[in-house]
Amino acid sequence: MRTRSIALSSVAAATALLGVAGTAAADSSTPAPSASASASAKTRTGDGAQALCKRAPKIDKRLHRALHRLQGKAGVRGSVARLEKRVEKAKAAGHTEIATFLNHKLAHRKSLIPTLQQRQKDLAKVATWCRSHQNTTSS
């Protein structure tokens, strides 16, 4: 363990020294960036719209699967109905601590449904925006 920490600290020290030397060398040899270069750098630090538009179909599938699972019948693993059944069985068996734990889990799982439904609605609006701005996104 001691050898690992010594190795990590020496790597960190070497990196710091190289970083300072590299910055000094860059300051002396390169001119200041022009206004157009800084403007192009700013466009690259956008809101990630292009990446989100690309991932939207996969996100939609994942949200649909999660909602389908949560709203499933008692035989579906991860469904609210199945967890409700487990809570009832724990109460019937007199396992109050287990029932309390499962009840809290059930409350959380029930709260996920409206959240995921809202995300689905928001994602539908994003997908509409992506379709309308398909040609205007910069690469």
Side-chain angles (χ1 to χ4, degrees), residues 11 29 42 57 74 101 106 118 126 130:
V11 169
S29 64
K42 288 181 183 177
F101 175 79
L106 178 63
Q118 183 60 48
V126 167
C130 290

Side-chain angles (χ1 to χ4, degrees), residues 45-137:
T45 59
D47 60 356
Q50 186 177 12
L52 182 59
C53 288
K54 184 178 178 181
R55 290 190 320 264
K58 288 183 180 180
I59 295 170
D60 186 45
K61 285 180 186 176
R62 191 167 54 241
L63 286 171
H64 180 72
R65 263 194 331 258
L67 281 170
H68 185 71
R69 182 179 58 245
L70 287 170
Q71 295 170 336
K73 295 182 180 179
V76 177
R77 294 180 87 188
S79 69
V80 171
R82 184 179 179 122
L83 194 51
E84 286 173 340
K85 197 172 183 180
R86 287 181 63 195
V87 169
E88 290 171 13
K89 286 182 179 181
K91 285 180 182 176
H95 302 150
T96 56
E97 291 82 6
I98 304 297
T100 303
F101 175 79
L102 292 176
N103 236 351
H104 289 130
K105 195 172 178 179
L106 178 63
H108 173 70
R109 200 169 285 178
K110 283 182 177 179
S111 74
L112 284 176
I113 293 173
T115 302
L116 293 177
Q117 288 172 336
Q118 183 60 48
R119 285 186 185 170
Q120 239 181 356
K121 290 176 188 174
D122 293 344
L123 189 64
K125 291 177 186 175
V126 167
T128 302
W129 183 90
C130 290
R131 282 191 296 275
S132 67
H133 289 82
Q134 186 174 13
N135 295 329
T136 61
T137 57

